Amino acid sequence: MTSILKNSVNYLLTKPDTEAGSSITHLKLQKLLYYTQALSLLFSEKPLFLQPIEAWARGPVIKEVFVRFHPNDGYTATTALLPPKTEPDLPNDIKTVLDTTWDYYGMYTGEYLEQLTHSEQPWIKARQGLGPTERGNNIISIESIKDFFQQQFHKDSDEFGFLDAIYQKYQLHYGLETATEDDGFLLE
């Protein structure tokens, strides 16, 4: 696993308030990484990481992350993952997108996020021709994710109006007057 993806995983694992009973399961982590990629594409028009996201039956999955928390090592989709001993060192622009993802998706369970991804076109499109529980590893294209979230961002519907709120908070919280091409996130 490359350093940006590994450090992003470890950073997300530090976000739950474990004393309050909050945790991240493997299922939830995979969906948070998908939404992190989506928000990076929405805000900077650049992917946060280059690893492909596959359209598995339970939603978007990054295979390298799946391998790290493999069931043969005692992990299941619903096993709570432990945070690293120290917070990983990441540039502020990457922390910004990870924090923004956590702020808006971190409150949900992995199961809820799974259902949410199942209602979105990037996953649906990549799963074409596969049954609901059929195994598959079709890639959810970066363009598909980018196009979908940009379309939703520009919609005025209540269903996806939250993307505008996310973007506004992102700009205000991190002191950006307007997001520009120069605000892009780092690539591997």
Side-chain angles (χ1 to χ4, degrees), residues 12-66:
L12 285 170
L13 291 176
T14 68
K15 300 308 286 177
D17 181 355
T18 53
E19 291 179 11
S22 181
S23 67
I24 293 183
T25 63
H26 191 186
L27 181 66
K28 182 174 181 173
L29 176 63
Q30 291 284 357
K31 306 321 165 243
L32 289 173
L33 289 168
Y34 166 77
Y35 285 116
T36 296
Q37 187 77 304
L39 294 182
S40 178
L41 291 165
L42 178 64
F43 297 153
S44 74
E45 298 189 11
K46 296 176 186 175
L48 182 67
F49 49 84
L50 299 177
Q51 288 77 5
I53 300 175
E54 299 179 7
W56 288 19
R58 295 211 57 192
V61 170
I62 300 166
K63 193 169 189 173
E64 286 184 48
V65 176
F66 176 81

Side-chain angles (χ1 to χ4, degrees), residues 83-108:
K85 294 184 188 327
T86 59
E87 186 175 297
D89 185 33
L90 284 167
N92 285 338
D93 55 348
I94 294 176
K95 284 183 181 179
T96 298
V97 76
L98 292 165
D99 288 339
T100 304
T101 302
W102 180 258
D103 289 347
Y104 284 90
Y105 294 101
M107 70 186 90
Y108 300 113

Side-chain angles (χ1 to χ4, degrees), residues 89-135:
D89 185 33
L90 284 167
N92 285 338
D93 55 348
I94 294 176
K95 284 183 181 179
T96 298
V97 76
L98 292 165
D99 288 339
T100 304
T101 302
W102 180 258
D103 289 347
Y104 284 90
Y105 294 101
M107 70 186 90
Y108 300 113
T109 65
E111 290 79 5
Y112 176 83
L113 294 173
E114 175 185 349
Q115 293 307 309
L116 188 60
T117 62
H118 284 197
S119 71
E120 297 170 348
Q121 283 304 305
W123 182 84
I124 293 168
K125 184 177 176 182
R127 292 283 302 172
Q128 283 181 338
L130 296 172
T133 59
E134 187 176 350
R135 289 181 181 225

Side-chain angles (χ1 to χ4, degrees), residues 58-186:
R58 295 211 57 192
V61 170
I62 300 166
K63 193 169 189 173
E64 286 184 48
V65 176
F66 176 81
V67 168
R68 177 174 174 197
F69 301 109
H70 196 275
N72 289 345
D73 295 328
Y75 296 102
T76 67
T78 57
T79 302
L81 304 177
L82 298 174
K85 294 184 188 327
T86 59
E87 186 175 297
D89 185 33
L90 284 167
N92 285 338
D93 55 348
I94 294 176
K95 284 183 181 179
T96 298
V97 76
L98 292 165
D99 288 339
T100 304
T101 302
W102 180 258
D103 289 347
Y104 284 90
Y105 294 101
M107 70 186 90
Y108 300 113
T109 65
E111 290 79 5
Y112 176 83
L113 294 173
E114 175 185 349
Q115 293 307 309
L116 188 60
T117 62
H118 284 197
S119 71
E120 297 170 348
Q121 283 304 305
W123 182 84
I124 293 168
K125 184 177 176 182
R127 292 283 302 172
Q128 283 181 338
L130 296 172
T133 59
E134 187 176 350
R135 289 181 181 225
N137 62 349
N138 297 344
I139 302 299
I140 301 174
S141 75
I142 292 294
E143 283 305 311
S144 175
I145 297 169
K146 183 178 175 182
D147 290 347
F148 175 77
F149 281 90
Q150 284 180 342
Q151 287 172 359
Q152 300 312 316
F153 178 69
H154 294 293
K155 274 188 179 180
D156 288 329
S157 81
D158 289 337
E159 182 181 3
F160 291 99
F162 73 94
L163 287 175
D164 187 50
I166 291 173
Y167 187 69
Q168 294 304 317
K169 181 175 180 181
Y170 168 81
Q171 288 182 310
L172 293 173
H173 185 71
Y174 298 101
L176 302 174
E177 288 183 27
T178 59
T180 67
E181 211 172 282
D182 295 333
D183 296 326
F185 301 108
L186 301 175

